[in-house]
Amino acid sequence: MKTDKYSPYLAFSRDTWSELRDAVQLPLSEDELLRLRGMNDRVSLAEVRDIYLPLSRLLNLYIKAKQRRNRVLDQFLGKEPHHVPYVISLAGSVAVGKSTTARILQALLERWPQHPRVALVTTDGFLYPNAVLEQRGLMQKKGFPQSYDIRRLVQFVSDIKSGKPRVTAPVYSHLVYDIVPEQEAVVEQPDIVIIEGLNVLQSGMDYPHEPHRVFVSDFVDFSIFVDADERLLKTWYVERFLKLRSGAFTNPDSYFHHYAQLSEEEAVAVASRIWQEINYKNLKQNILPTRDRAELILTKGKDHEVEQVWLKK
């Protein structure tokens, strides 16, 4: 562990961080991990053991401490104990592997006896429908702050944190690239909620077009940022695009079906242009500036392996 008294973070190498799992046994099998992996992720059981087991142990300790605090507060106020979910946010660039990280954390955390109910929600469901984005000229700004129904997202997280028995969220389809009408995800008083998305570390100041001054980050108990070098991110994005071109894009119902006919050279050129004109701009302007707000930063190297962990003091 490296300690700089002038840094707000403690820096851990992979090996040093791995030792902090404190003999916690790996609860996942290879088959279970295969179902959790994203399309372009190559995360291994060794990665889960070395990186995510220590993180799940740390989170378990934090959650137990927060539950004790809530009991003390209820006792002080003379109130009956009430259920307050622990909220974890997970941010990072497109193609960095946020979704896989979120699914692995969900699988590990729900195996701890104190909190078996772990919900996972993505902020994609709070994007405005394509019809609204087209009307506002924002289709090329999907994922940018102005493309989200931020009031609805904030209300959703506020309702969860207040202990509301049943909270619903819109559902987004990556196949049709749009909100699915009349479908909703239901969250019913889980012990933990993991909220994954590009924008979960942003605050009210990142949304100058909105008059409110609260955001998801105001309701979060622990925040994580998955980081990687910009060159790696572009490579991973292009690789994922090529796999989609020969996979999901071949479905006639896919919004991007027209890309399935591209040659590999053409597909690389298109993916590189989309990365440069949309995702890279969003990364530099809106996502990367929020990194140092996170309680913990996972820094990935090649092959998607986490090489360093930064934990806020």
Side-chain angles (χ1 to χ4, degrees):
M1 180 182 71
K2 299 177 182 178
T3 303
D4 181 347
K5 66 179 180 178
Y6 299 114
S7 170
Y9 288 94
L10 300 172
F12 298 84
S13 69
R14 183 187 180 93
D15 290 341
T16 305
W17 180 256
S18 175
E19 294 171 1
L20 297 174
R21 68 180 183 274
D22 193 33
V24 175
Q25 296 300 306
L26 183 65
L28 296 180
S29 68
E30 186 67 54
D31 286 343
E32 288 174 311
L33 180 58
L34 184 62
R35 292 193 293 270
L36 298 173
R37 284 191 190 115
M39 174 180 297
N40 205 38
D41 286 327
R42 295 176 287 275
V43 61
S44 65
L45 284 175
E47 178 90 345
V48 176
R49 180 196 64 217
D50 294 343
I51 301 300
Y52 297 107
L53 268 186
L55 177 53
S56 75
R57 176 175 175 251
L58 174 65
L59 287 168
N60 185 55
L61 292 171
Y62 276 150
I63 292 164
K64 289 196 292 187
K66 187 62 178 285
Q67 290 170 340
R68 288 195 297 269
R69 177 189 177 277
N70 289 342
R71 288 195 295 269
V72 168
L73 181 59
D74 288 336
Q75 183 180 8
F76 173 72
L77 296 174
K79 295 172 56 178
E80 291 294 321
H82 65 291
H83 184 84
V84 180
Y86 191 89
V87 177
I88 300 168
S89 66
L90 199 151
S93 170
V94 168
V96 78
K98 297 185 303 301
S99 297
T100 297
T101 297
R103 288 191 294 268
I104 291 172
L105 280 179
Q106 180 186 28
L108 293 176
L109 288 170
E110 65 188 7
R111 282 165 168 78
W112 288 90
Q114 299 90 344
H115 35 79
R117 294 177 298 163
V118 183
L120 173 56
V121 178
T122 172
T123 61
D124 289 346
F126 295 91
L127 286 161
Y128 285 114
N130 286 356
V132 175
L133 295 176
E134 288 170 355
Q135 182 183 16
R136 299 182 182 182
L138 293 173
M139 280 299 288
Q140 299 305 308
K141 293 284 188 180
K142 247 191 181 181
F144 284 64
Q146 59 268 41
S147 66
Y148 289 92
D149 187 345
I150 191 62
R151 294 186 184 184
R152 188 171 183 182
L153 174 57
V154 169
Q155 187 62 56
F156 170 80
V157 183
S158 175
D159 287 344
I160 285 176
K161 201 62 182 173
S162 69
K164 193 172 179 179
R166 187 178 189 274
V167 183
T168 62
V171 173
Y172 184 84
S173 167
H174 287 276
L175 179 67
V176 299
Y177 198 57
D178 202 355
I179 301 297
V180 181
E182 300 180 4
Q183 282 195 26
E184 59 184 19
V186 179
V187 178
E188 296 181 299
Q189 288 195 314
D191 301 297
I192 303 169
V193 178
I194 301 173
I195 303 176
E196 176 257 310
L198 302 173
N199 57 345
V200 290
L201 283 172
Q202 292 167 358
S203 64
M205 70 181 67
D206 299 301
Y207 289 79
H209 57 289
E210 292 287 350
H212 61 77
R213 288 293 179 266
V214 293
F215 192 58
V216 172
S217 52
D218 296 303
F219 300 97
V220 167
D221 296 295
F222 191 87
S223 52
I224 301 167
F225 190 96
V226 186
D227 195 24
D229 183 89
E230 295 165 9
R231 291 166 296 184
L232 286 175
L233 291 172
K234 179 181 178 180
T235 297
W236 296 339
Y237 178 79
V238 172
E239 288 175 352
R240 188 176 73 177
F241 188 94
L242 291 176
K243 288 183 179 179
L244 288 168
R245 161 181 156 270
S246 58
F249 291 172
T250 62
N251 187 329
D253 293 329
S254 171
Y255 181 87
F256 298 105
H257 181 59
H258 56 288
Y259 288 144
Q261 309 305 317
L262 297 176
S263 67
E264 182 168 332
E265 183 179 357
E266 291 170 332
V268 168
V270 169
S272 298
R273 177 179 56 79
I274 294 172
W275 171 261
Q276 199 66 31
E277 295 179 0
I278 300 175
N279 296 310
Y280 181 68
K281 284 184 179 179
N282 196 20
L283 173 66
K284 298 295 283 186
Q285 294 174 14
N286 303 306
I287 302 169
L288 203 55
T290 70
R291 179 180 56 193
D292 291 343
R293 297 176 189 171
E295 299 291 331
L296 182 132
I297 302 171
L298 300 174
T299 303
K300 289 186 172 185
K302 62 180 181 179
D303 297 323
H304 278 269
E305 290 191 344
V306 174
E307 296 179 341
Q308 199 164 42
V309 178
W310 300 78
L311 177 64
K312 191 165 283 185
K313 297 175 182 176

